[in-house]
Amino acid sequence: AGTDISLNDNVTIVTGNFTDSATIDAVKAIVDSAGGNAVLSSEPTDSGTQIVVGTDDANGVASDVAEALTGKSAEGLAAEGYVLASGSYKDQPSIVLNGIDTRGTFYASQTLRQLVSDDSVPGVKVRDWPLMEIRGSIEGFYGVPWSHQARLDQLAFYGKHKMNTYIYTPKDDVLLRNEWRTLYGDDEVSQLKELVDGANEHHVDFTYALSPGLDLCYSSDDDFNATTTKFNQIRDLGVHSFYIALDDIPLEFHCDSDSEKWEETDDYRW
């Protein structure tokens, strides 16, 4: 859709009130790798190439440019969708990354990264949105868990490839399964915090999944409180997504109070 847009000179990144550092840093890195000089500005420029970044609410210029270049802004797209277009806007070489939300704008920056060839971006018109709400992986296998660095590398990979979910539940983490009532120590909390921060940096939802089923007493207030206390320790690190995994566990109760409260049956459904 038109001529290439060069990035190997002065390039103004127009942000308005859009402040997502992951997106802005990604665009700056794209310009730098193309040999250009990236300059941030809250307002449009009248010289050189400009890359206009943001949602409709945070940067109205982004929606204006998207509509001018493609006929539509990101308005009405599904969550995490975006418009990416390049061309001439008011006689100025322009690229727009207009997300329906912050994460959509971040994904637009990842598509821009994929489109750069040498020092320029081809003329394009893109409207993109996910068909699957949850995209990512579960670290929930038996055996040696991933290393801390491997997890951080995975989170960066997810962001680059528009995956939004990482579920932490390695079977051989004893504090998730065999000793699930035990709280994490300072060193473990520090590593988990680094993972959570890394997930947030790459727009990945960090989900913490506890596996208490080996010896959980379902009717026990103490076990209920132990579960919420464990979750709250992780919640304090900035995690907002949790689940309880009850797979690969015995099919009988572990305490008399459960047997007294609920009738056992052989009619299990998996």
Side-chain angles (χ1 to χ4, degrees), residues 214-246:
L214 292 177
D215 63 356
L216 175 68
C217 185
Y218 297 93
S219 59
S220 166
D221 287 340
D222 287 342
D223 275 2
F224 177 84
N225 291 332
T227 303
T228 57
T229 299
K230 190 69 168 279
F231 280 172
N232 282 333
Q233 185 184 33
I234 306 303
R235 190 191 308 275
D236 288 342
L237 303 181
V239 176
H240 305 287
S241 179
F242 299 85
Y243 78 74
I244 295 176
L246 297 175

Side-chain angles (χ1 to χ4, degrees), residues 6-35:
S6 175
L7 299 179
N8 66 354
D9 203 343
N10 291 328
V11 177
T12 302
I13 302 173
V14 183
T15 59
N17 294 319
F18 184 78
T19 58
D20 180 59
S21 59
T23 302
I24 295 170
D25 289 346
V27 175
K28 288 171 62 179
I30 291 166
V31 174
D32 290 344
S33 66

Side-chain angles (χ1 to χ4, degrees), residues 181-209:
R181 298 176 183 85
T182 303
L183 295 178
Y184 290 100
D186 291 343
D187 290 343
E188 294 152 330
V189 166
S190 178
Q191 284 206 332
L192 283 170
K193 174 62 173 166
E194 189 173 359
L195 288 179
V196 174
D197 290 345
N200 291 335
E201 177 185 351
H202 298 289
H203 286 282
V204 176
D205 294 329
F206 184 103
T207 297
Y208 180 85

Side-chain angles (χ1 to χ4, degrees), residues 49-111:
T49 297
Q50 64 177 359
I51 303 177
V52 186
V53 179
T55 61
D56 290 358
D57 291 340
N59 189 1
V61 177
S63 58
D64 292 342
V65 177
E67 189 163 348
L69 295 182
T70 70
K72 290 182 179 180
S73 72
E75 184 179 2
L77 287 179
E80 302 180 2
Y82 62 88
V83 172
L84 186 159
S86 58
S88 177
Y89 177 73
K90 296 183 178 180
D91 297 324
Q92 184 175 357
S94 300
I95 300 170
V96 62
L97 313 180
N98 177 212
I100 187 65
D101 48 30
T102 299
R103 187 170 284 176
T105 311
F106 174 71
Y107 289 159
S109 73
Q110 299 307 315
T111 298

